[in-house]
Amino acid sequence: LGKLQSESTKKKRYKSILLVDEQGSILEKFDSIMQAAEQYGCGKGAISNVCQGRTKTACGRYWRFE
């Protein structure tokens, strides 16, 4: 079966995500893209694309890595 991972190892796999306004002011912080996507009903890939600079917005919102 797979290797067991410690909580600290699991946590390192995720990057914190920030929901920001057009001026870059932080509106909300999420522990992962998955958490943000579930709360806002937005695709994980769409948020990831914004954070990586490929697109400007996802679900009409601005996102960035912390």
Side-chain angles (χ1 to χ4, degrees):
L1 303 180
K3 289 185 178 180
L4 295 178
Q5 296 178 343
S6 68
E7 286 302 313
S8 62
T9 302
K10 287 180 188 177
K11 203 161 189 118
K12 289 178 187 175
R13 292 175 48 195
Y14 302 106
K15 287 186 177 182
S16 295
I17 301 299
L18 301 174
L19 172 62
V20 296
D21 63 16
E22 290 183 52
Q23 290 75 37
S25 298
I26 298 169
L27 302 175
E28 199 166 349
K29 179 182 174 183
F30 299 92
D31 292 331
S32 67
I33 290 177
M34 187 182 324
Q35 184 184 39
E38 288 173 359
Q39 182 165 332
Y40 282 91
C42 196
K44 294 179 289 187
I47 295 174
S48 178
N49 284 338
V50 175
C51 292
Q52 294 176 20
R54 293 183 184 139
T55 56
K56 195 168 185 177
T57 64
C59 296
R61 295 176 170 83
Y62 299 88
W63 307 88
R64 70 174 197 225
F65 289 122
E66 184 175 42

